[in-house]
Amino acid sequence: MPVRVVLPADPLLGIEQQEVVARLWKRRQTETGWAYLVGLPSYRDREDGGVEAAEYRVWVRAPDHVRPVDGVDYDQVATERLEPSPQSAVREVLGERRPSGWVLAKVCEGRGPARGVLHAPDCEEAPQGAPLLDVEHALNAAEAPGTRLCTLCGCAQELTPLLSGFDHITDS
């Protein structure tokens, strides 16, 4: 299949960007986009000192370096599609991940030790602008007397096994 390949400009030689028609052999979907295997017309030296027409094959990025030729149907080109990664399937099922970390909402109820509630940062009960705690600081805060873990956002379900050990998890 014919395809237009965009050749780079070379300011040192005074050559502007240009397009040449090449042959499209294959296309491959990658993590960063599409790559096309194209055959550029070229020449090569023969052993007898002559020159013959040849083809130089190279992978180029699409759409940066490749343009379609008007009226050409590319459905028959060998195409390697990237298999969905397990992470993508998990994200598709579970949705976007919540922000990592926890926040502590301080509750001042009279005298005595400070009380607080640990929340996930996206919990509707979480204080806005509170510092984000990593897991070590969140566990330290959770072990303090008077601190509870929010059940609304799942903080309790996430941190309790780390505090109590995973052996305390039951089928109930």
Side-chain angles (χ1 to χ4, degrees):
M1 303 270 156
V3 67
R4 294 188 190 284
V5 176
V6 180
L7 300 178
D10 189 340
L12 294 176
L13 295 176
I15 299 173
E16 295 182 17
Q17 178 176 305
Q18 54 186 317
E19 291 184 7
V20 296
V21 176
R23 185 180 310 196
L24 177 59
W25 288 99
K26 186 187 291 188
R27 55 189 174 182
R28 177 182 295 156
Q29 187 179 23
T30 69
E31 295 281 339
T32 58
W34 285 90
Y36 283 43
L37 179 62
V38 297
L40 295 165
S42 182
Y43 293 100
R44 70 172 155 228
D45 294 330
R46 293 191 323 215
E47 288 185 21
D48 66 3
V51 177
E52 65 183 2
E55 183 179 75
Y56 175 72
R57 290 189 187 182
V58 63
W59 286 96
V60 295
R61 285 191 316 258
D64 302 337
H65 305 121
V66 182
R67 308 264 190 275
V69 172
D70 291 338
V72 175
D73 179 15
Y74 294 100
D75 289 341
Q76 301 305 315
V77 175
T79 303
E80 298 173 12
R81 296 200 180 272
L82 191 63
E83 292 296 320
S85 69
Q87 184 180 21
S88 297
V90 169
R91 183 169 285 145
E92 188 177 316
V93 172
L94 298 179
E96 288 298 313
R97 277 185 65 185
R98 70 174 349 143
S100 62
W102 293 270
V103 293
L104 180 62
K106 295 180 181 174
V107 179
C108 298
E109 293 178 357
R111 299 179 136 158
R115 299 180 179 273
V117 181
L118 268 174
H119 298 277
D122 60 347
C123 179
E124 58 188 56
E125 298 291 323
Q128 296 298 315
L132 198 60
L133 303 176
D134 63 14
V135 68
E136 182 179 346
H137 289 98
L139 291 172
N140 288 340
E143 289 177 328
T147 301
R148 353 178 253 106
L149 305 177
C150 179
T151 55
L152 178 67
C153 64
C155 182
Q157 292 85 345
E158 292 173 9
L159 293 180
T160 299
L162 298 174
L163 290 166
S164 307
F166 288 92
D167 295 336
H168 289 67
I169 299 174
T170 62
D171 291 335
S172 63

